[in-house]
């Protein structure tokens, strides 16, 4: 009796041949650990038949697929939660400020808008030149502000004194708008960063786990197909051997009969 005939399967103890079995040391670490979990007394030098090894390979493939699906589901849940997060609603600053405008704020915005335009400059120059022409040339007998136009200086000082705080009010509102927009942008960037981190985690999971697992599953499939092809070849050979023996016996009987 040869050494190959004395081999037994680790699972059921049935006798096996060296061609239809594998040693545990030849298996992958994950597959070997799975067998070791069911049979703690197993050693790397033990053998397992192809039938039972196929079952462990299928279980190992299912475990990898389930682990990948679980991790992907977990990342997708976090990503969906981040996309649907309502911790901070993105608001339109202009619409929000427009709805809260008071009459005084509207007036200050209009004054600041008109005071910083070419229309105001042209109107102001026209009033100044007209004032000086009327009082300097005494048009229509007007003589209410002779040269050096002290009343005009007083009017200009009053206009500047009134216009300055009104423009400052509008500038304060612009500062509030800028502050709200900066806060809005901060929350948008924070939310975008969180989503990008989750997307990076998903891509890393695909690159580090799913792709190698897919390649390993394909390798298992090729090995399983090879074992199935080998078993089919053995079955054909076993079937062909009795047929050849029967043909030889039939030939001998015909010869004896003659």
């Amino acid at each position: 009796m040869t050494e190959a005939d004395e081999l037994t399967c680790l699972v059921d103890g049935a006798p096996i041949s060296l061609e239809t079995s594998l040693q545990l040391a030849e298996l992958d670490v994950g597959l070997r650990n799975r067998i070791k979990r069911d049979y703690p007394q197993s050693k790397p030098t033990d053998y397992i038949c192809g039938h039972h090894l196929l079952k462990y390979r299928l279980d190992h493939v299912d475990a990898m697929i389930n682990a990948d699906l679980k991790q992907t589901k977990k990342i997708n849940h976090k990503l969906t939660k981040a996309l649907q997060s309502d911790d901070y609603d993105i608001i339109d600053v202009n619409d929000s400020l427009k709805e809260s405008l008071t009459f005084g704020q509207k007036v200050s915005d209009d004054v600041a808008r008109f005071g910083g335009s070419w229309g105001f400059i042209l109107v102001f120059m026209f009033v100044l030149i007209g004032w000086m022409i009327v009082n300097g040339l005494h048009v229509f007998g007007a003589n209410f502000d002779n040269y050096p136009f002290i009343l005009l200086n007083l009017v200009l000082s009053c206009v500047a004194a009134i216009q300055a705080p009104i423009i400052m009010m509008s500038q304060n509102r612009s500062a509030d708008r800028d502050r709200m927009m900066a806060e809005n942008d901060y929350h948008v960037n924070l939310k975008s960063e969180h989503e990008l981190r989750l997307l990076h985690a998903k891509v890393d999971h695909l690159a580090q786990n799913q792709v190698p697992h897919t390649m390993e599953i394909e390798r298992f499939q090729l090995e399983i197909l090879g074992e199935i092809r080998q078993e089919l070849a053995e079955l054909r050979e076993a079937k062909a051997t009795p047929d050849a023996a029967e043909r030889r016996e039939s030939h001998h009987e015909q010869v004896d009969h003659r």
Side-chain angles (χ1 to χ4, degrees), residues 146-189:
N146 294 324
Y147 182 83
F149 311 115
I150 297 175
L151 181 59
L152 178 60
N153 291 327
L154 179 61
V155 172
L156 294 177
S157 299
C158 293
V159 170
I162 295 174
Q163 190 180 24
I166 294 177
I167 294 176
M168 290 181 63
M169 290 171 58
S170 179
Q171 289 178 347
N172 290 334
R173 280 181 35 74
S174 298
D176 293 338
R177 179 185 290 105
D178 294 339
R179 179 184 57 79
M180 293 180 65
M181 292 183 67
E183 184 178 358
N184 207 25
D185 292 340
Y186 167 75
H187 287 285
V188 170
N189 294 334

Side-chain angles (χ1 to χ4, degrees), residues 213-237:
H213 286 176
T214 302
M215 297 178 65
E216 187 174 358
I217 290 172
E218 291 178 355
R219 184 174 61 83
F220 281 157
Q221 290 175 346
L222 293 176
E223 292 178 358
I224 292 171
L225 289 176
E227 292 177 0
I228 293 175
R229 189 179 296 109
Q230 182 179 357
E231 291 181 1
L232 290 175
E234 292 176 356
L235 289 175
R236 292 193 187 98
E237 183 179 355

Side-chain angles (χ1 to χ4, degrees), residues 96-153:
S96 178
L97 291 176
K98 188 181 296 182
E99 293 176 357
S100 62
L101 282 177
T102 62
F103 177 75
Q105 291 173 340
K106 292 180 181 179
V107 171
S108 65
D109 289 342
D110 293 337
V111 170
R113 189 179 301 109
F114 179 70
S117 64
W118 279 103
F120 173 76
I121 295 175
L122 294 176
V123 171
F124 194 70
M125 294 296 296
F126 177 77
V127 172
L128 289 179
I129 294 173
W131 184 294
M132 289 185 288
I133 290 175
V134 168
N135 287 276
L137 301 179
H138 304 289
V139 179
F140 306 114
N143 189 19
F144 56 87
D145 188 20
N146 294 324
Y147 182 83
F149 311 115
I150 297 175
L151 181 59
L152 178 60
N153 291 327

Side-chain angles (χ1 to χ4, degrees), residues 61 65 130 218:
V61 169
I65 294 175
E218 291 178 355

